Amino acid sequence: MKFLIKSNIHTERARFAREIFLAYAGITLICLSSILVFRNFPVAYIESSGFTPFKTISEYIISLILFLFTDSSLCKQRQI
């Protein structure tokens, strides 16, 4: 009986993981097709005026994410 319960839980987890994977794959496919097929992406550089605000802000956001990840990794490493 316990085997059936564990098997049922494992099956539900596998189904849930598959659904999550398919959802992320669908979102990724939509985003990539939006950029590559429909050319729906903001301009990052204008030859006469240089970088656009989109480029500048996105670089700051990426740098902030990298800094926070590095900081959290160092904090976790120091605790071990």
Side-chain angles (χ1 to χ4, degrees):
M1 187 67 178
K2 287 183 181 182
F3 174 73
L4 292 175
I5 293 172
K6 288 183 181 180
S7 176
N8 189 21
I9 290 172
H10 178 68
T11 305
E12 289 177 14
R13 285 184 182 174
R15 185 179 317 131
F16 179 71
R18 190 176 325 117
E19 290 172 356
I20 294 295
F21 174 77
L22 289 175
Y24 274 102
I27 291 169
T28 302
L29 183 64
I30 290 170
C31 290
L32 286 176
S33 65
S34 172
I35 294 169
L36 299 174
V37 176
F38 301 114
R39 305 283 183 206
N40 186 15
F41 196 76
V43 176
Y45 183 78
I46 300 174
E47 194 168 330
S48 62
S49 62
F51 293 126
T52 61
F54 163 75
K55 170 74 173 172
T56 307
I57 292 170
S58 64
E59 289 290 332
Y60 280 120
I61 291 172
I62 291 168
S63 297
L64 178 66
I65 290 169
L66 289 173
F67 173 75
L68 292 174
F69 176 75
T70 304
D71 187 48
S72 70
S73 294
L74 288 174
C75 286
K76 286 182 182 180
Q77 189 178 33
R78 288 180 187 151
Q79 287 178 356
I80 294 176

